[in-house]
Amino acid sequence: MRTTRRHFLALSAGAAAVAAARLDFAPAFAQSAPVRLGVLAAKAGVLAPVGESGLRGVQWATDRINAAGGILGRKIELVIEEESSPKDTVERFRKLALQDKVEVVTGAISTGVGLALGPVAEEMKTIWLAWDATTQKGVEETMPKPKYSFRSTDNECEAVMGSILTARQWKGKFKTVAGINPDYSYGRDNWAAFLAIMKKYGIELSVVSELWPKLGATDFTAHVAALQQAKPDLIFSCFWAGDTPIFMKQAHGAGLTKSTKFVLTTGGGVHESLKKDFTPEGAILGYNCFYFEYARASALAKEFTRWHQEKFKEWPNYESDHGYFTIAAYKAAVERAARAAGGKWPTQDAVIQALEGVEAESLSGPRRYREDHIMEATFFQGVTTHKNKHDFVTIDPVETMTTKQIQKPSGVGLYDWINGWKV
Amino acid sequence: MIRPVAAVLAAAALLGAPLVATPYQLTLLLPAFAYGIALLGLNLLFGTTGLLSFGHALFVALGAYTAAWLTTRTPVRSLEVIVLAAALVATLVAVPVGLLCVRYVKIYFGILTLAFGMLFYSFLYKFYTLTGGDEGIRVLRPTVLGQAFASLDKVGFLTGPFYYAALAVLAVAALVMRRIVRSPFGLSLRAIRENADKAGYVGVGVRGHRFYAFVIAAVFGAVGGALLAVPTGLADPLLSYWTHSGNLVFMLLLGGFDRFLGPLVGALVFILLQDTVMSLTAYWRFVFGAVLAVVVIFFPRGLLGLLPRPGGPA
Amino acid sequence: MLFLVAAGLQLVFGVQKILNLACGSFYALGAYTGVSVVTWALGWGLPAPLFVLPLLAGGLALAALGPPLERLLRTIYDRDESFQLLLTFALVLMFEDVIRFVWGPAPVQLRGSYLAYGQVTVVGTTVPVYNLVVMLAGALIAVGMGWVLTRTRFGRIVRATAENREMAAALGVNMHRVYRRVFTLGVVLGTVGGALVIPATAAVSEMAIEVIVEAFAVVVIGGLGSMRGAAVGALIVGLLKAGAIATWPEVEMLAIYLVVIGVLVLRPAGLFARATP
């Protein structure tokens, strides 16, 4: 037994030494070897369309960068795994880190997965650039000072912006409100944020109905009936998946879209399915961080949109931009760190330091990572219109707000921040 | 003749794995051990007693959430306490659920267990102040034998002390289950599976025996669940979804449900299969479905069923 | 529409004693196929109000799946029921990926047809006429099924086989043919149900897995093996859901399981059962 343990210790010491030596050698030898980036993209279930969207952004970024010579001469090689349940995704992450030995993992959209991956990224000492999944719990409770995890914009940003627009546009024009939101953290957080902001703006309202269908539900007949009974002036919903067009279709079928104001904070994610047939004009619709027909879009955005439409016969949504930015940010950080290191491929710590505060051009304009590892971006929302050449609604006018206006700064609680506003 | 040698070789391989396998391969073995324990329980229920539960994942989830609750809401960190607590919680829940479920057999039993599994899933999802909802509750790193092994990072911990702890729990669980299966109680269970009416005539308390089997299976499930949650670091509601129960049954069938080591072999093969196939294709569900279909039609006795049966009961 | 799926489940169980987990998959297949067929038909110039026809045709066409699947299941008829359950579970997994492969992971919806028949105001609430059409269709099918089972020779054979398999075989009934027809009928009930629902909602990849739970609930509440039970059960489940949403939305998710468990505890055979638990 003692012999075995000594052997074990000797072996592990030896293994560690070899591993350490390899790490030191790696930059010199690997100057032209590809840099491997792991991707966790959802492929099934309600997350599948968004996962696919993010993956497209990542792949487009990768192809462009590789066509231009790669990062510091090294081509990017993507290792793609599936995001599914938290348990399985954690195992995929470990595989990417331990077996495929990727430099960075990009991806993750589901809140449960996001919560699980944070600690795992720290344990595996692997940089993780998330696409989504930023809940307050994930940020405050579990990862107050992350080193390796870089998160996306807060989940409440859309509700915050939607609420501000509602207050500006419709203050005094509605008295009763109904909420229909998916029954999980995202739905609850957004609804709570909306109510808090209405209160802050001094808007007197009464909630006549609060409905909580499960995420991805496909039948809202009973909900629509309940809404018809409650007769709200305004309906607030942060639906973002396939449930959005189904709900609108059924609401329209019951006549709700004629007289009720709608605030759809995140419906723009599935904008192409919001057909003119059943989506009214005059609703506030949010597109998260990317609007495909923004008049003042950059050449980069226009090129991406054109490519996306030609290749997939679909117009892109926000998750592609999140995916794109993670790659662009990584490249920018590596280059920034390399400049400080005299042109050599930087160490991981240097990359992390460079990521903090890094600015890179995303498809929707400049974005950056804050020092506390939260993303800063621009959000797009607006009022729906049928005046376009598509069979689905678009928005006009388009309002943009940056995270400086709608995302709480680091170190402050969400509701404390809202209460501190000057309106 | 063959079995003892094979057993010794397997044991040696498992014990020595940390010396030769890569960290990743070792982290793959951990859920295999955990599932192995959970499946030992399911095997008692299905293989020995003939009751197919489509809700076993409920207890696995229960064990995971127990581990999560203890490590995040109480100062408890000891793995041993967590395992015992999981067993206790499982017993508490299994008693009422079991009393209800064992009144029925076969299809009804399957549907009822499925319903309970989904009920727990909904409960976990809805009562988010208690359970964390869709985000789940974290499972913090436990101590093994009172030692925190703070000098090791999580991977080192998982592939070192925790690996051996899990293996130890598995060994203990297997030995305990072996005693149970070979005891008069176990024989009665098998009699019930063969022909419940006859067993009843002979004086075996059919419902009582089924109930005890149910509770024991639940305990094993929860212990497995607690061990499963530690590497993941999170307990989330999906652990209780009915397709997770389906996977458990799949594993059991794959290994061989009327062999003692069936659960362990099934868990291992399933994990390895999942790991390879998931990385190869996005359509892994199809592959798994096909494998399951093939096993059900052609190899109902599972992989171990391909081997000749040793003399005497398994 | 839950009734149709549940009816399919009941039929197959009653006669063949197989609980088909894949009934949800048929529902999904009917939905997806429905969208494809109608979109194609409309693209060909079919006048909008007639869209119901290709919709139904799509659902009925999927009956072709019945015989081959039944042959597959036949290989394990003699085994323990648990194996049958597992085989159908395998089918669920495979169909899910087949659907994903053919139609992609994003939800698929039908354009415009939902309101092709306009709306109507009934007791103060506006309702698309299509909803009424679907309810009518469901009722017609229910009545039709009842008539087939009680009045036709085929129906009598089906019921006889359900009562006593051996006797029916001894009396010269061709078991294989009966099983094949029954199974195909079960498939069609599911696919037509899925197709009919589609104009109002959208086809999503998880629909198979989720409708299973509800279908089981209906079957349990109504009692395994009974058609009437399926109808009543579906009605109860529907009312319960609506009731929960109207009065206490928070329990919407839990309500159905609690009722299932309640029924199983209090009246284990369900409300109209024939099969013993």
Side-chain angles (χ1 to χ4, degrees), chain C residues 12-31:
Chain C
V12 173
F13 179 74
V15 174
Q16 301 172 292
K17 303 278 182 286
I18 295 178
L19 196 62
N20 186 8
L21 281 171
C23 62
S25 307
F26 300 138
Y27 181 75
L29 274 172

Side-chain angles (χ1 to χ4, degrees), chain B residues 51-96:
Chain B
L51 292 171
L52 180 59
S53 165
F54 249 86
H56 198 60
L58 188 167
F59 297 106
V60 174
L62 205 54
Y65 272 87
T66 310
W69 240 84
L70 284 177
T71 53
T72 54
R73 312 274 169 109
T74 72
V76 172
R77 286 285 182 283
S78 155
L79 185 65
E80 298 76 28
V81 173
I82 291 173
V83 165
L84 288 170
L88 190 65
V89 172
T91 318
L92 288 173
V93 173
V95 167

Side-chain angles (χ1 to χ4, degrees), chain A residues 20-351:
Chain A
R22 281 200 66 225
L23 273 173
D24 273 346
F25 276 143
F29 280 118
Q31 209 58 348
S32 46
V35 54
R36 312 184 82 198
L37 302 184
V39 186
L40 286 171
K43 303 238 176 94
V46 70
L47 286 171
V50 214
E52 167 129 18
S53 180
L55 184 59
R56 287 175 187 169
V58 165
Q59 276 176 328
W60 195 71
T62 305
D63 292 340
R64 277 183 114 240
I65 293 175
N66 283 348
I71 307 181
L72 295 181
R74 295 175 68 186
K75 299 258 166 137
I76 300 177
E77 190 184 298
L78 294 177
V79 183
I80 303 174
E81 292 281 352
E82 183 176 341
E83 173 191 353
S84 47
S85 68
K87 169 181 156 298
D88 289 336
T89 314
V90 164
E91 286 168 11
R92 303 288 102 211
F93 190 99
R94 286 223 177 90
K95 181 173 196 178
L96 288 171
L98 288 174
Q99 183 139 308
D100 302 307
K101 302 218 193 318
V102 298
E103 301 281 336
V104 163
V105 175
T106 169
I109 301 172
S110 132
T111 44
V113 170
L115 203 72
L117 283 187
V120 174
E122 303 297 309
E123 290 156 14
M124 315 259 31
K125 299 199 181 23
T126 306
I127 300 175
W128 169 47
L129 305 172
W131 293 344
D132 229 319
T134 311
T135 61
Q136 296 313 308
K137 185 163 162 186
V139 175
E140 286 168 7
E141 191 182 292
T142 57
M143 307 264 33
K145 285 220 174 346
K147 182 171 178 199
Y148 299 90
S149 318
F150 285 80
R151 291 188 184 265
S152 179
T153 50
D154 280 355
N155 271 354
E156 289 87 0
C157 290
E158 289 138 332
V160 171
M161 182 169 179
S163 309
I164 296 178
L165 288 180
T166 307
R168 270 196 215 158
Q169 190 159 297
W170 288 328
K171 178 168 182 170
K173 300 207 182 118
F174 65 96
K175 280 231 132 34
T176 55
V177 162
I180 177 166
N181 297 291
D183 192 2
Y184 76 118
S185 55
Y186 182 76
R188 283 189 288 271
D189 293 342
N190 279 309
W191 174 242
F194 170 73
L195 290 175
I197 294 176
M198 290 297 106
K199 191 158 160 216
K200 181 71 191 173
Y201 272 87
I203 297 180
E204 293 286 331
L205 54 81
S206 73
V207 176
V208 293
S209 180
E210 239 186 60
L211 299 170
W212 300 101
K214 77 174 196 307
L215 176 63
T218 51
D219 180 33
F220 297 102
T221 11
H223 304 83
V224 165
L227 287 171
Q228 274 177 318
Q229 288 273 37
K231 298 206 208 324
D233 297 323
L234 181 142
I235 295 179
F236 175 92
S237 174
C238 60
F239 281 155
W240 53 268
D243 38 20
T244 326
I246 300 179
F247 170 64
M248 291 312 296
K249 203 195 272 200
Q250 293 179 349
H252 179 70
L256 276 176
T257 51
K258 267 195 287 242
S259 47
T260 326
K261 298 176 170 41
F262 276 84
V263 179
L264 303 170
T265 62
T266 327
V270 290
H271 61 121
E272 237 176 294
S273 63
L274 296 175
K275 307 290 180 191
K276 288 176 180 164
D277 300 341
F278 51 79
T279 316
E281 291 189 295
I284 293 181
L285 181 60
Y287 284 72
N288 195 290
C289 294
F290 184 79
Y291 178 54
F292 78 107
E293 252 181 20
Y294 187 42
R296 282 177 280 159
S298 60
L300 184 69
K302 293 202 173 106
E303 190 189 330
F304 175 73
T305 309
R306 212 177 22 245
W307 169 82
H308 195 278
Q309 169 62 9
E310 269 168 26
K311 183 152 185 199
F312 302 109
K313 303 283 175 284
E314 281 171 21
W315 300 99
N317 72 11
Y318 62 89
E319 205 74 48
S320 300
D321 202 8
H322 285 316
Y324 177 90
F325 173 68
T326 57
I327 306 294
Y330 177 66
K331 172 167 183 281
V334 167
E335 289 171 345
R336 187 179 177 199
R339 271 196 298 274
K344 274 198 326 161
W345 189 270
T347 63
Q348 192 190 48
D349 278 349
V351 175

Side-chain angles (χ1 to χ4, degrees), chain B residues 253-276:
Chain B
L253 206 67
L254 195 61
F257 65 90
D258 58 351
R259 296 295 191 108
F260 184 70
L261 288 175
L264 308 177
V265 170
L268 197 61
V269 174
F270 185 88
I271 299 271
L272 291 175
L273 197 66
Q274 192 181 44
D275 185 59
T276 347

Side-chain angles (χ1 to χ4, degrees), chain B residues 46 52 54 100 103-108 111-112 114-116 118-119 121-123 125-127 241-243 246-247 249 253 257 282-286 288-290 292-293 296-297 300, chain C residues 13 19 21 72 75-76 79-83 85-87 89-90 93-94 96-98 100-101 209-210 212-213 216 220 224 250 253-254 257-258 260-261 264-265 268-269 275-277:
Chain B
F46 181 49
L52 180 59
F54 249 86
L100 279 173
R103 280 153 68 167
Y104 313 100
V105 289
K106 302 201 182 255
I107 298 293
Y108 274 101
I111 298 183
L112 197 48
L114 192 151
F116 269 109
M118 288 304 291
L119 180 66
Y121 166 78
S122 310
F123 168 76
Y125 210 81
K126 274 249 57 133
F127 290 82
Y241 207 74
W242 73 267
T243 43
N247 283 345
V249 178
L253 206 67
F257 65 90
Y283 299 108
W284 54 270
R285 282 173 199 81
F286 184 86
F288 270 60
L292 179 60
V296 168
I297 299 178
Chain C
F13 179 74
L19 196 62
L21 281 171
L72 189 68
T75 54
I76 52 162
R79 310 258 195 86
D80 192 82
E81 296 160 354
S82 320
F83 285 102
L85 204 61
L86 286 173
L87 189 57
F89 179 57
L93 290 177
M94 292 201 282
E96 193 185 329
D97 267 356
V98 167
R100 194 167 310 125
F101 182 70
I209 298 190
E210 293 179 357
I212 269 292
V213 186
F216 272 26
V220 163
L224 268 177
E250 292 280 350
M253 273 177 99
L254 298 170
Y257 304 116
L258 289 173
V260 168
I261 291 170
L264 276 177
V265 168
T276 41

Side-chain angles (χ1 to χ4, degrees), chain A residues 8-24, chain B residues 23 152:
Chain A
F8 176 88
L9 287 174
L11 234 93
S12 29
V18 170
R22 281 200 66 225
L23 273 173
D24 273 346
Chain B
L152 293 172

